């Protein structure tokens, strides 16, 4: 396979606003005595965040369903076709179909960090500085025995600051940045984190900024190009980039 020439990067930044509570948990091995049953993952400063691995994994799964490329054995799609929307954006492991190396793994997803100011307005109603505790109860259908539990969540209204990088190779045009935006739109109608079928994890992308940085930008001879500044929705960003 011919090596394509690297042309630069798209940098997409967006606020992720929670429309419902979010729970992305940690291993129960990390639980403290007297702590919550299901705590959320936090950074070293005790602030909840959305791991880039969680975002990227969900986006990839949605992309596979969208393009009809879900495998029967549960393995990630990996045809190795350089024109494949899934493999081209997310990669396909070390080798793709017929042992061809797949080097065009374009997408990088950063951890999305909480904007502390976004929870200040209702922090007096929260059980901790940044999170709420939702009390749930499951019922054993055979014995009718109740099983109460506490679920820690980041409350609706909180905002996380996200960043995505899409590498650009020759002849890519806007194909893969458009693909990312389409799957972000799908994610808005799905969920991230746990308990999504019970209403958790609905999000909206807001204040979207897309910049294009050419090879000359990294050489210091050219400024970055602002493609979109402050789009209020994914749909608005998609219309602007086409």
């Amino acid at each position: 396979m011919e090596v394509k020439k690297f042309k630069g990067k798209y940098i997409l930044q967006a606020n992720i606003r929670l429309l419902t509570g979010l729970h992305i948990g940690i291993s129960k091995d990390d639980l403290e005595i007297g702590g919550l049953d299901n705590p959320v993952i936090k950074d070293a400063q005790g602030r909840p965040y959305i791991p880039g691995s969680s975002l990227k994994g969900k986006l990839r799964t949605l992309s596979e369903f969208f393009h009809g490329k879900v495998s029967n054995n549960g393995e990630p799609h990996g045809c190795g076709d350089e024109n494949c929307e899934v493999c081209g954006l997310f990669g396909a492991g070390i080798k793709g179909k017929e042992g061809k190396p797949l080097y065009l793994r374009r997408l990088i997803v950063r951890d999305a960090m909480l904007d502390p100011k976004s929870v200040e307005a209702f922090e007096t109603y929260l059980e901790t500085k940044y999170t709420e505790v939702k009390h749930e109860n499951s019922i054993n259908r055979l014995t009718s025995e109740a099983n109460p539990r506490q679920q820690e969540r980041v409350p609706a209204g909180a905002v996380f600051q996200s960043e995505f990088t899409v590498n650009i190779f020759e002849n890519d045009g806007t194909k893969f940045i458009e693909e990312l935006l389409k799957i972000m739109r799908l994610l808005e109608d799905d969920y991230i984190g746990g308990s999504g079928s019970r209403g958790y994890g609905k999000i909206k992308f807001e204040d979207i900024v897309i910049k294009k940085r050419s090879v000359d930008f990294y050489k210091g001879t050219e400024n970055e190009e602002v493609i979109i500044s402050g789009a209020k929705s994914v749909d608005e960003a998609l219309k602007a980039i086409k």
Side-chain angles (χ1 to χ4, degrees):
M1 180 171 61
E2 182 181 355
V3 176
K4 287 190 173 184
K5 187 177 180 180
F6 174 69
K7 305 294 288 185
K9 292 176 179 285
Y10 285 110
I11 310 296
L12 188 156
Q13 298 166 320
N15 286 336
I16 299 176
R17 181 174 297 277
L18 302 187
L19 302 184
T20 62
L22 171 70
H23 177 84
I24 296 180
I26 59 176
S27 169
K28 289 191 176 182
D29 293 337
D30 298 323
L31 292 181
E32 298 177 355
I33 295 175
L36 293 168
D37 296 332
N38 295 295
V40 299
I41 190 168
K42 299 180 178 74
D43 64 16
Q45 299 180 50
R47 295 177 299 188
Y49 70 99
I50 304 174
S53 57
S54 296
L55 269 175
K56 188 175 183 182
K58 187 68 179 190
L59 289 167
R60 183 185 183 116
T61 298
L62 290 172
S63 180
E64 291 179 0
F65 274 100
F66 182 62
H67 293 289
K69 296 185 177 181
V70 178
S71 65
N72 293 325
N73 59 9
E75 293 290 329
H77 174 73
C79 68
D81 184 346
E82 64 183 60
N83 296 310
C84 171
E85 296 88 346
V86 178
C87 293
L89 189 60
F90 297 94
I94 298 175
K95 292 187 177 180
K97 182 174 60 177
E98 299 175 357
K100 294 180 180 179
L102 188 68
Y103 65 94
L104 300 182
R105 186 173 299 184
R106 292 173 173 84
L107 181 62
I108 300 168
V109 184
R110 312 292 184 191
D111 290 345
M113 310 310 293
L114 176 71
D115 178 0
K117 294 181 180 180
S118 66
V119 297
E120 285 181 354
F122 42 87
E123 64 181 3
T124 55
Y125 303 99
L126 301 178
E127 281 79 2
T128 76
K129 187 172 182 179
Y130 302 114
T131 62
E132 63 185 0
V133 176
K134 186 172 185 291
H135 297 272
E136 299 183 344
N137 202 12
S138 63
I139 304 296
N140 187 306
R141 295 186 180 185
L142 296 178
T143 66
S144 298
E145 181 181 0
N147 179 30
R149 60 190 176 192
Q150 296 174 319
Q151 189 97 313
E152 186 179 23
R153 308 194 310 177
V154 186
V159 173
F160 293 84
Q161 297 166 332
S162 66
E163 181 176 292
F164 306 84
T165 299
V166 179
N167 290 323
I168 308 168
F169 294 92
E170 59 182 330
N171 302 320
D172 276 359
T174 61
K175 174 179 177 179
F176 290 100
I177 189 67
E178 286 185 43
E179 177 67 16
L180 174 59
L181 286 165
K182 290 174 186 176
I183 304 307
M184 288 168 62
R185 183 66 186 86
L186 275 174
L187 180 54
E188 290 184 328
D189 288 333
D190 207 276
Y191 65 90
I192 57 175
S195 302
S197 63
R198 301 203 302 272
Y200 290 38
K202 183 171 175 59
I203 67 167
K204 178 176 174 58
F205 291 100
E206 298 177 336
D207 303 320
I208 301 168
V209 176
I210 300 178
K211 304 172 185 177
K212 185 177 182 181
R213 296 175 177 172
S214 68
V215 171
D216 289 332
F217 168 85
Y218 294 101
K219 291 178 180 178
T221 59
E222 184 176 283
N223 294 327
E224 67 182 12
E225 179 184 359
V226 179
I227 307 296
I228 298 165
S229 179
K232 298 302 180 184
S233 68
V234 176
D235 287 340
E236 183 181 331
L238 260 173
K239 290 176 182 177
I241 204 167
K242 287 184 177 181

